[in-house]
Amino acid sequence: MSLAPYARLLRLPGVLTLVLVAFVARIPHAMTGVVLTLHVVGPLGLGYAKAGLVAAAMTVGVAIGSPWRGRRVDRLGLRRALLPSVLVESAVWLIAPRLGYEALLGAAVVAGVFLVPVFSVVRQSLAVLVPPEQQRTAYALDSVGTEMTFMLAPTLGVLVATQVSTTAALTLVGASTVAAGLLLMWFDPPTRSAGGAAAPEPAGRRPRLLTPGLLVVLAAASAAALILNGTDVGIVAALEGWDRESAVGWMIALWCVGSVVGGLVYGAQKRELHPLALVALLGAATLPAALAQTQLQLAVAVVVAGLPCAAALSAINASLVRMVPEHRRGEIMGWSGTANTVGAALGAPLVGAVIDGTGPWGGFAAAGGAGLVLAVAGLVVLALVRRRSAARRASAGGTPADGTAADVAPEALHLTVPRDPSTAPGGIVPSPAPAGADDVPARPLPDDASRTVHPG
């Protein structure tokens, strides 16, 4: 595997700084889940199902707030959009350690609504800073950076929670969340290119944002989040069953090591897989953890489970930014956050309930199995939609009445997409629609290229 694509990427202006800022700013998010779980199971004395409901409450808040915060970034700019998050998050996490369970549920919803949108802002900025032919590598690197944050942050959270107190750990989450917001406001990464003014909307009709192709990719995001959150809860439960709670951090770090390796390999390749195919692989790779009987076996299993993780997430993000106009990327990144939180809201309590009834190994089976079934079902539905669209185009002479399937990019009909720039007509580097996005228009012909060159 050659790392040359990553070296070329990091030489682009602003990319290296953005990667480093993202790494630091994501730390509070990476430690929140495990700290909340330890707080509910420990000092509050409740089970994993209850802990899963707190995580679900926070994800419900994120699902509500993400599109709204994305639109604010699009319309107001980053600094003005982040200020309410910094103020509200500081208050919520200051009082959270002192709340009972019911009040903590409400606080988790508020924290989710105003969560600092680090992930969406970074991905939106990468779409501005990086030209189309390097964006898949950029999002692979972004996912790898996220995994590295998850290697360190949960370890820090567990260390503070077990060696000091969960109150101190929750306070640390709040302080670092505010610091992340301030860091982003200081750096103020670009979320729109210099020529990225909003395109005028057709008279009498507001263009759809959530088209069928986008919904397919958002479904992949939900399935991935279900698997990942369920696996997270399963790791905590397994190690607590062995009376080794302090090992949670390094076990999650091993999980992230697998993801880093898989993400780097995927980002250096010239072809990409459909996000749903990668999510199906992620679910299948998680299932062996259900068979682990010792810590060593679990360590090997979580490394395997992590291999498709960063690849799946990067494929989802790279697909989304290619499917919407620049002036609405903040909003679609918000909807991506909503899709993630819907999957997490389903995964955490589902897996928590299975763990309470059958033990940690049932949790791994539930997480991997449910995600695998959802992804495979999505691929089957996608194949049926493609077949129906092709038949409709053929019967209508290539122009369906509703216009949603016209001018579909040929590469969108396959599960893999060629990325070799030498295949581009007239020397133009293509920015292909993600595989399976059947409502994404084809690239224009070379004589129109001057109107569609990526501003990055």
Side-chain angles (χ1 to χ4, degrees):
M1 181 193 72
S2 173
L3 296 179
Y6 295 102
R8 290 193 295 270
L9 174 69
L10 293 175
R11 285 196 292 267
L12 295 174
V15 172
L16 177 58
T17 303
L18 179 63
V19 169
L20 295 176
V21 168
F23 177 82
V24 175
R26 285 168 171 160
I27 288 176
H29 182 87
M31 72 170 71
T32 299
V34 67
V35 169
L36 280 174
T37 298
L38 292 174
H39 183 69
V40 173
V41 174
L44 296 185
L46 301 172
Y48 284 98
K50 293 285 189 180
L53 286 176
V54 174
M58 187 167 181
T59 58
V60 167
V62 175
I64 295 170
S66 289
W68 163 65
R69 284 183 289 109
R71 286 192 295 270
R72 286 184 64 85
V73 171
D74 286 337
R75 296 173 182 176
L76 303 179
L78 182 60
R79 288 175 173 168
R80 291 175 61 190
L82 286 185
L83 184 58
S85 291
V86 172
L87 296 176
V88 173
E89 292 288 309
S90 62
V92 168
W93 292 109
L94 180 65
I95 64 171
R98 298 162 180 83
L99 299 177
Y101 180 73
E102 290 76 12
L104 184 62
L105 284 172
V109 173
V110 175
V113 170
F114 288 90
L115 185 69
V116 176
V118 178
F119 292 84
S120 60
V121 166
V122 170
R123 291 160 185 167
Q124 192 176 353
S125 184
L126 281 174
V128 174
L129 296 173
V130 180
E133 68 273 15
Q134 291 180 271
Q135 284 180 3
R136 184 172 58 84
T137 301
Y139 286 110
L141 182 61
D142 177 65
S143 293
V144 166
T146 299
E147 298 306 329
M148 293 180 69
T149 304
F150 274 83
M151 290 171 63
L152 299 177
T155 303
L156 175 61
V158 170
L159 180 65
V160 174
T162 56
Q163 301 301 316
V164 184
S165 68
T166 57
T167 296
L170 287 171
T171 302
L172 176 62
V173 168
S176 56
T177 297
V178 173
L182 294 176
L183 179 62
L184 281 176
M185 292 174 69
W186 166 77
F187 177 53
D188 194 21
T191 56
R192 186 177 297 177
S193 61
E201 297 181 354
R205 180 183 176 187
R206 179 178 174 80
R208 282 190 309 167
L209 181 66
L210 299 179
T211 58
L214 277 170
L215 291 174
V216 168
V217 181
L218 292 176
S222 292
L226 186 153
I227 297 170
L228 297 179
N229 278 51
T231 303
D232 196 18
V233 174
I235 290 172
V236 174
L239 292 174
E240 188 187 53
W242 289 321
D243 198 24
R244 294 298 304 272
E245 296 95 330
S246 60
V248 168
W250 67 260
M251 190 67 73
I252 292 178
L254 286 175
W255 186 25
C256 296
V257 166
S259 182
V260 167
V261 172
L264 287 173
V265 171
Y266 179 74
Q269 303 304 309
K270 294 183 178 180
R271 299 179 72 85
E272 61 181 305
L273 296 174
H274 190 279
L276 279 173
L278 287 167
V279 172
L281 182 60
L282 177 61
T286 302
L287 293 175
L291 304 176
Q293 299 296 317
T294 66
Q295 287 187 75
L296 178 58
Q297 292 175 1
L298 181 61
V300 174
V302 298
V303 171
V304 173
L307 289 174
C309 177
L313 298 179
S314 65
I316 290 167
N317 294 321
S319 296
L320 289 174
V321 299
R322 293 199 299 263
M323 297 171 71
V324 295
E326 185 180 78
H327 68 279
R328 300 193 74 179
R329 282 177 182 159
E331 186 174 354
I332 196 56
M333 287 295 104
W335 281 112
S336 176
T338 296
N340 278 300
T341 56
V342 167
L346 294 173
L350 169 66
V351 173
V354 172
I355 289 172
D356 286 342
T358 65
W361 320 119
F364 290 119
L372 176 60
V373 168
L374 289 173
V376 170
L379 287 171
V380 171
V381 170
L382 188 59
L384 294 175
V385 169
R386 287 198 202 108
R387 184 178 304 174
R388 182 179 177 184
S389 296
R392 188 169 65 245
R393 286 196 299 271
S395 63
T399 308
D402 60 5
T404 58
D407 299 323
V408 179
E411 61 269 21
L413 301 178
H414 304 282
L415 287 180
T416 58
V417 180
R419 300 291 292 182
D420 186 356
S422 64
T423 63
I428 300 170
V429 177
S431 178
D438 295 311
D439 59 330
V440 181
R443 290 279 293 181
L445 296 175
D447 59 351
D448 290 329
S450 61
R451 293 185 280 110
T452 58
V453 174
H454 191 276

